[in-house]
Amino acid sequence: MRTLEIAGIQVPVIGQGTWRMGEKPDQRRGEVAALREGIERGLRLIDTAEMYGEGGAEEVVGEAIAGQRDQVVLVSKVYPHNATRTGVAAACERSLKRLGTEYIDLYLLHWRGQYPLAETVEAFERLREQGKIGRWGVSNFDLDDLQEQDLPGCATNQVLYNPEERGVEFDLLPRQQRLGMPLMAYCPLGQGGALLANPALRQVAEEHGVSTAQVALAWALRQPGVVAIPKAGDPRHLAENAAAADLQLSENDLRVIDSAYPAPTRKQRLQMV
């Protein structure tokens, strides 16, 4: 698996997302099994959040990584309404307990909220000094959010990025590339299946003998400094995701995709889900 450095750690360019996990008890066993199989396939970066299933996803992740914590890179996120000096610390403790670990590799502010960013960063730094997190970062921050305050300790920014939603390419992604701040692409396969059924992606997929999901992942990874975190719940999709890191799209492939999903020519509002 190809890797990229985030916060001094070599992480696979394709990880595992956990949004919607931990919501239905009858699906827990399958979710745990999927995460474990993903780890075996090299998808060692696991992204979760206290919001997902109101802690349920973190519990699923904790069960999946039991006995192999040192094999994975954990990313979790704090709610904006918990982003005070005391709130961050308490939220982190709850996440650590659900995850069954003593530290989180990357701890992110899930989106911008009402509390001063400086206060949140101060709380993050305190957790880092205590060894409870490795580094901290942000999620759903647009360019003006990053520029509002100097954030030298920010390790990453996690945003919505796929062929349907490529507004970040206009200014945010180039800025992060110049800063050497990796971008973590969530929902890289889109939502609802419309992206994966698109004729342009199907054409490229047929030419390479791969799935449209693999094309979408390879498309995101064509950009330097991008990590993709798709969710997968079955062995076939996990195998496809892992193999997508080796798929190289040609200039013609990219033109075909551009014809369906043109690159932005002006500033667009940052989209989030």
Side-chain angles (χ1 to χ4, degrees), residues 55-122:
E58 289 181 324
E59 292 177 347
V60 169
V61 172
E63 185 174 344
I65 67 173
Q68 53 180 341
R69 171 64 181 92
D70 60 341
Q71 300 298 312
V72 302
V73 178
L74 279 182
V75 182
S76 194
K77 298 181 283 291
V78 60
Y79 266 126
H81 63 250
N82 287 332
T84 62
R85 290 182 183 86
T86 57
V88 166
C92 184
E93 289 294 341
R94 292 191 295 269
S95 290
L96 289 171
K97 183 176 181 180
R98 289 188 290 261
L99 290 164
T101 184
E102 296 181 351
Y103 68 98
I104 296 169
D105 295 285
L106 275 169
Y107 198 41
L108 314 182
L109 174 61
H110 209 148
W111 65 88
R112 194 74 185 270
Q114 62 179 314
Y115 299 112
L117 187 56
E119 182 175 347
T120 307
V121 169
E122 179 184 330

Side-chain angles (χ1 to χ4, degrees), residues 4-7 11-15 45 47 75 106 108 137-143 146 154-162 165-188 217 219-229 270-271:
L4 181 153
E5 184 176 310
I6 300 181
V11 303
V13 293
I14 298 178
L45 175 68
D47 175 80
V75 182
L106 275 169
L108 314 182
V138 296
S139 179
N140 296 304
F141 269 44
D142 206 346
L143 184 60
L146 290 179
C154 185
T156 189
N157 182 22
Q158 186 179 118
V159 298
L160 177 65
Y161 182 48
N162 59 55
E165 300 289 351
R166 55 188 300 188
V168 298
E169 293 179 359
F170 184 76
D171 55 0
L172 179 62
L173 178 55
R175 175 65 172 173
Q176 289 192 216
Q177 289 170 330
R178 289 193 296 272
L179 292 173
M181 180 191 295
L183 182 146
M184 298 183 70
Y186 71 78
C187 293
L217 289 173
W219 178 89
L221 298 179
R222 82 199 190 286
Q223 290 279 4
V226 171
V227 172
I229 45 173
L270 183 70
Q271 299 299 307

Side-chain angles (χ1 to χ4, degrees), residues 158-267:
Q158 186 179 118
V159 298
L160 177 65
Y161 182 48
N162 59 55
E164 291 178 313
E165 300 289 351
R166 55 188 300 188
V168 298
E169 293 179 359
F170 184 76
D171 55 0
L172 179 62
L173 178 55
R175 175 65 172 173
Q176 289 192 216
Q177 289 170 330
R178 289 193 296 272
L179 292 173
M181 180 191 295
L183 182 146
M184 298 183 70
Y186 71 78
C187 293
L189 305 182
Q191 299 180 78
L195 173 64
L196 301 186
N198 182 270
L201 267 71
R202 284 184 170 178
Q203 177 183 330
V204 174
E206 289 173 1
E207 291 178 357
H208 287 271
V210 298
S211 69
T212 52
Q214 288 173 297
V215 170
L217 289 173
W219 178 89
L221 298 179
R222 82 199 190 286
Q223 290 279 4
V226 171
V227 172
I229 45 173
K231 177 189 172 185
D234 68 68
R236 180 171 63 86
H237 291 158
L238 285 164
E240 289 181 353
N241 290 352
D246 296 324
L247 177 60
Q248 297 293 322
L249 301 180
S250 68
E251 290 299 321
N252 185 63
D253 294 332
L254 296 178
R255 282 193 291 271
V256 170
I257 297 172
D258 284 346
S259 68
Y261 302 106
T265 58
R266 57 181 176 80
K267 174 68 179 177

Side-chain angles (χ1 to χ4, degrees), residues 88-89 92 107 123-133:
V88 166
C92 184
Y107 198 41
F124 281 158
E125 283 294 333
R126 190 172 302 164
L127 290 174
R128 185 184 61 79
E129 292 167 359
Q130 295 169 348
K132 294 181 179 180
I133 66 172

